[in-house]
Amino acid sequence: MKKIAVVYWSGTGNTRAMAEAVAKGSGGELFAADIFDVERARELDAIAFGCPSMGSEQLEESEFEPMYEACKPALQGKKIALFGSYGWGDGEWMRNWEEDCLAAGAILACESVICREEPDADVLAQCEQLGAALQ
């Protein structure tokens, strides 16, 4: 059985709801960003990362981005998936994040899932499918 982690940061609960659906679809273990580290990342077969858009369409800077930057060296050749919510903009943060992951050598398992504000049933189903793509 593959070792899969779902790592997220959520300020309002929207990205957490998405993370729970991804974990359901993947069978992976759920981790808040502040308790995940590069050593754990190295041990896994696949990782789903979830973070909302913050500020001017960027990753959350105090907990999530430092954890993600520390894990980037462990993403080379690793299957990953990305998801998150946003309240404004057009999803630029996700496009930038996907490009950064590819530049780090990660393999995107599927199309990323984003939603404006609270995820509805359709978005949660997409999150479960995203999780399944990591198996």
Side-chain angles (χ1 to χ4, degrees), residues 3-118:
K3 292 182 182 178
I4 301 170
V6 179
V7 183
Y8 73 95
W9 186 91
S10 184
T12 64
N14 294 340
T15 302
R16 179 179 174 84
M18 295 172 78
E20 290 170 348
V22 172
K24 181 178 177 184
S26 69
E29 190 172 353
L30 196 61
F31 293 95
D34 64 340
I35 62 170
F36 193 77
D37 60 35
V38 67
E39 294 308 316
R40 188 168 279 150
R42 287 190 174 106
E43 299 169 355
L44 299 165
D45 298 305
I47 306 171
F49 288 109
C51 185
S53 171
M54 303 294 288
S56 61
E57 294 212 59
Q58 61 195 45
L59 298 175
E60 190 279 327
E61 296 177 297
S62 66
E63 291 180 17
F64 190 87
E65 189 172 26
M67 174 280 304
Y68 166 72
E69 288 295 328
C71 289
K72 265 198 327 193
L75 300 183
Q76 176 72 38
K78 193 168 299 282
K79 197 175 187 182
I80 68 163
L82 306 175
F83 63 95
S85 62
Y86 64 103
W88 60 89
D90 69 355
E92 179 183 5
W93 106 100
M94 185 58 73
R95 293 188 298 276
N96 292 340
W97 191 12
E98 289 169 341
E99 289 174 12
D100 191 57
C101 289
L102 292 172
I107 301 162
L108 292 175
C110 60
E111 188 174 321
S112 300
V113 175
I114 63 173
C115 72
R116 185 176 293 269
E117 305 296 343
E118 187 175 353

